[in-house]
Amino acid sequence: MKIYAAAAAVVVLAGLLTTCAAGLEPDAVAAPPSAAAHIVASELVTGPGYVLDVPQVVGGDPAAAAFNAGMHAAARFWIGQVDSRTTLTPGPGQVTYLGTRTLSGLLSVSVDTGDASVVLRTSHVTDARTGHTLTLADLFADLDRGLDILATRAADLLPPDADLPASALEPAEYNYRVWLATPAGMQIHWGAPAADPAGDIVVTVPWYQLEAVLAPGMRDVVGG
């Protein structure tokens, strides 16, 4: 599906959004700096019925190109939902994390159907070593066991007043599809609660709580 954009502008935002992983646990080890210097950016993509602010990174290397392509693919999915009644505009809470070995982006889209408006979100994580998309199946040594542990840890961290149905916490891949690799841990987004169509229920599960079920070497990839 092609994006027929009326205009596109790249806006380079303030520097790297990386943070230090120190203090998460006593044995945490800082990862070496990445080979490529990446800068957070965004691209305004517009057309009939839509305006999207697509997360991008400037770097000039294969990892940056792969991340940018992945975020554009996410944008094309939402653009495909546009019809005579549905319009798309940028939503709140959009973020990009630049790790030493991963690039993570959250695309936030405000969808207005004429009768109602809700903010929906999509994420993409790129393995900066290979340029490949990092999926849940890549993250965990055994996907089912990994999801079981992830669901348990996420439920423990969920605020007591979170307006989230129990079914959304079940260890199903779909429930945890919107996630980001951050220095603090695996950041999971469930989207808008019923009471706040523009809100987002977010939990960050520390990597050390998932280490037993991560794929070999994956802690070093996602934790920096």
Side-chain angles (χ1 to χ4, degrees), residues 29-202:
V29 178
S34 59
H38 296 118
I39 299 174
V40 174
S42 67
E43 183 175 348
L44 195 64
V45 178
T46 68
Y50 64 87
V51 176
L52 296 180
D53 188 25
V54 182
Q56 300 281 271
V57 298
V58 176
D61 63 317
F67 173 83
N68 292 342
M71 295 309 306
H72 271 292
R76 286 196 296 272
F77 171 81
W78 294 115
I79 290 170
Q81 313 305 309
V82 174
D83 56 28
S84 59
R85 297 187 59 193
T86 302
T87 59
L88 310 178
T89 53
Q94 194 154 279
V95 68
T96 302
Y97 289 102
L98 305 182
T100 56
R101 298 182 179 90
T102 57
L103 306 174
S104 300
L106 183 73
L107 174 65
S108 181
V109 181
S110 180
V111 182
D112 190 336
T113 64
D115 297 323
S117 179
V118 66
V119 174
L120 301 175
R121 296 169 177 88
T122 307
S123 67
H124 178 83
V125 182
T126 294
D127 185 334
R129 305 168 305 164
T130 64
H132 295 159
T133 300
L134 197 59
T135 67
L136 292 174
D138 299 320
L139 187 65
F140 297 117
D142 179 276
L143 180 58
D144 289 339
R145 183 164 179 261
L147 287 172
D148 281 340
I149 298 299
L150 176 61
T152 299
R153 299 289 184 263
D156 291 341
L157 294 168
L158 197 68
D161 59 346
D163 186 10
L164 192 69
S167 59
L169 287 168
E170 292 176 356
E173 193 170 356
Y174 180 84
N175 287 337
Y176 300 92
R177 69 195 184 283
V178 184
W179 68 280
L180 303 172
T182 81
M186 183 177 180
Q187 187 178 101
I188 305 156
H189 294 253
W190 281 283
D196 182 10
D200 192 10
I201 299 173
V202 184

